[in-house]
């Protein structure tokens, strides 16, 4: 009886080991002569963006009372209309740049981003000045000097778009309200464009 029980126990152990082997994905090459296994593959891409920009240049302003823009006369945009309203200068003469002095901006991102605009100028005019990032004839984000933005947005959201580099213009306008408002000479400032993932 002991031998019979030992034999049964040995058979049970062999069958149990065969079941474990099968569960691990190992198998025989008999028949099909192939075996296979699957492996999970994963990757995680971090949020990334690139930005490049070229400066804005108003050129030489005549100095007479007027609203001066960096964009030429043939530029279609809601920028000038918004500027005149914001400056309270509906009847003012608008002097458009002879050449396109607008800045340019390129942004590419692999996620949704927020783009903001800010101006700083320790050596800037006392005149009211507005800047805007524009796209498709529409001002998207604004920055100002010597005037409050109030309801004008300082940033905008940009949704992810596959295989797309987003191109923008950066326009500017200066309102000289009096000939002696500031001394003739060179003035400079800095526009900062910030791209932030969200």
């Amino acid at each position: 009886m002991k031998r019979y029980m030992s034999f049964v126990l040995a058979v049970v152990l062999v069958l149990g080991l065969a079941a474990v082997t099968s569960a691990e994905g190992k198998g025989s090459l008999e028949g099909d002569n192939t075996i296979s296994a699957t492996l999970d593959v994963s990757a995680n891409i971090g949020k990334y963006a690139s930005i490049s920009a070229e400066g804005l240049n108003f050129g030489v302003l005549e100095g007479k009372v007027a609203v001066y823009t960096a964009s030429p006369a043939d530029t279609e945009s809601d920028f000038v209309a918004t500027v005149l309203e914001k400056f309270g200068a509906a009847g003012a003469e608008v002097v458009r740049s002879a050449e396109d002095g607008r800045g340019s901006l390129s942004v590419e991102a692999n996620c949704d981003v927020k783009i903001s605009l800010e101006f700083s100028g320790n050596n800037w005019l006392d005149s009211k000045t507005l800047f805007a990032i524009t796209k498709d004839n529409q001002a998207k984000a604004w920055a100002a000097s010597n005037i409050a933005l109030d309801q004008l947005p300082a940033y905008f959201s940009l949704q992810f778009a596959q295989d797309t580099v987003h191109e923008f213009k950066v326009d500017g306008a200066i309102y000289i309200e009096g000939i002696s408002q500031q001394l003739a000479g060179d003035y400079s400032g800095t526009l900062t464009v910030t791209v932030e993932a969200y």
Side-chain angles (χ1 to χ4, degrees):
M1 184 71 165
K2 273 187 174 180
R3 282 187 187 175
Y4 176 72
M5 289 301 281
S6 296
F7 175 74
V8 169
L9 184 60
V11 169
V12 168
L13 284 174
V14 168
L15 291 175
L17 287 173
V20 168
T21 303
S22 177
E24 292 177 358
K26 296 179 182 176
S28 170
L29 293 178
E30 293 293 327
D32 290 335
N33 291 326
T34 62
I35 57 174
S36 63
T38 59
L39 295 88
D40 292 333
V41 179
S42 63
N44 185 303
I45 298 174
K47 293 180 178 180
Y48 192 86
S50 68
I51 183 172
S52 62
E54 290 186 22
L56 182 150
N57 185 353
F58 285 101
V60 179
L61 308 182
E62 188 176 356
K64 67 180 179 179
V65 174
V67 174
Y68 298 85
T69 69
S71 54
D74 61 352
T75 304
E76 293 183 16
S77 173
D78 66 354
F79 175 76
V80 173
T82 304
V83 160
L84 291 174
E85 181 181 339
K86 184 67 179 168
F87 286 160
E93 179 183 357
V94 177
V95 178
R96 306 298 293 266
S97 178
E99 296 189 16
D100 195 347
R102 292 175 298 172
S104 62
L105 178 67
S106 298
V107 177
E108 185 175 13
N110 67 357
C111 58
D112 296 342
V113 295
K114 180 175 82 172
I115 299 176
S116 59
L117 186 64
E118 186 178 2
F119 177 75
S120 60
N122 295 330
N123 182 34
W124 190 244
L125 300 91
D126 292 327
S127 298
K128 295 173 184 173
T129 308
L130 285 168
F131 302 95
I133 297 173
T134 62
K135 171 90 172 175
D136 298 330
N137 303 328
Q138 183 181 24
K140 312 281 283 175
W142 295 80
S145 178
N146 304 313
I147 188 171
L149 284 178
D150 296 326
Q151 302 302 317
L152 296 177
Y155 68 90
F156 66 98
S157 296
L158 186 65
Q159 304 300 313
F160 168 75
Q162 190 171 17
D163 297 324
T164 302
V165 177
H166 301 274
E167 303 287 346
F168 302 93
K169 290 293 186 181
V170 183
D171 209 342
I174 299 169
Y175 185 21
I176 296 180
E177 298 175 81
I179 295 171
S180 62
Q181 191 172 29
Q182 60 258 313
L183 182 67
D186 293 327
Y187 294 87
S188 62
T190 303
L191 278 170
T192 302
V193 179
T194 303
V195 177
E196 178 184 353
Y198 70 94

